[in-house]
Amino acid sequence: MNTAETKSELHQALEDFESQLETPIVPGELPEWCKSAKKGCAAVHAALPPKLKDHEIIYKQISREDPSLQPRVESMQAEDERLSAEAEFLDDQFVLTAAAAEIVEPNEQPAESLAQELADRAIQYVIAVRKQEHAVRTWYIEALERDRGDKD
């Protein structure tokens, strides 16, 4: 899969997941809401690893072009690891929340509160993934175009 396809797939998965997370939880439909959110989370989780592999190639290029950006590269690599771990955490939590929603029905209130907290965390995750994509792009361009004085 090439970079353009991966970006498109990740972007679409993030958009769909965010839309699901922003959808209000209708009483009586918590289990379905959780299953849909879990599906969206799984799509993001599946689209993320190819993008992170692309990042590693970009990080090597940044380091070659401008070694002074190595601290930035290391910071972005750490964020990639955090995002990957958070994807796994969210994936697991949506499974647990969907199971809890099935058990507590018709008294959904405790599970609904849990689902809403999870949705809020997942929205922050979506934002973090998008921020990371912008950071990687920005520092890549900076490495290629940075004025390093009279180097020639």
Side-chain angles (χ1 to χ4, degrees):
M1 192 174 277
N2 70 32
T3 304
E5 289 173 2
T6 303
K7 178 180 177 191
S8 175
E9 182 181 328
L10 179 60
H11 178 75
Q12 187 62 52
L14 288 168
E15 192 174 294
D16 293 346
F17 187 37
E18 184 178 36
S19 177
Q20 175 57 38
L21 294 169
E22 292 171 343
T23 302
I25 301 170
V26 176
E29 295 183 13
L30 181 60
E32 291 79 19
W33 184 92
C34 288
K35 287 175 189 170
S36 293
K38 162 62 175 111
K39 184 178 176 183
C41 186
V44 171
H45 194 179
L48 191 61
K51 180 52 78 175
L52 297 181
K53 284 183 182 181
D54 289 346
H55 286 183
E56 283 304 317
I57 295 166
I58 293 168
Y59 297 153
K60 287 177 185 174
Q61 182 70 27
I62 291 171
S63 294
R64 273 194 305 269
E65 291 292 328
D66 191 344
S68 71
L69 291 177
Q70 189 58 34
R72 295 274 184 197
V73 167
E74 291 168 4
S75 175
M76 290 186 293
Q77 287 172 321
E79 180 64 3
D80 281 354
E81 289 176 20
R82 188 191 75 74
L83 292 172
S84 184
E86 183 73 357
E88 290 179 29
F89 172 81
L90 290 171
D91 207 34
D92 292 344
Q93 290 302 303
F94 277 112
V95 169
L96 294 173
T97 304
E102 292 284 348
I103 293 168
V104 299
E105 199 173 28
N107 182 17
E108 294 178 332
Q109 189 55 41
E112 184 177 333
S113 295
L114 180 63
Q116 193 55 57
E117 288 175 23
L118 185 56
D120 291 343
R121 183 170 176 170
I123 287 172
Q124 291 304 310
Y125 172 76
V126 169
I127 292 167
V129 171
R130 287 181 177 144
K131 244 177 112 170
Q132 178 72 345
E133 287 304 300
H134 286 290
V136 170
R137 229 181 348 257
T138 298
W139 289 111
Y140 179 66
I141 292 168
E142 181 67 14
L144 295 175
E145 297 180 356
R146 183 178 245 182
D147 183 6
R148 293 180 195 83
D150 290 337
K151 196 173 158 182
D152 297 326

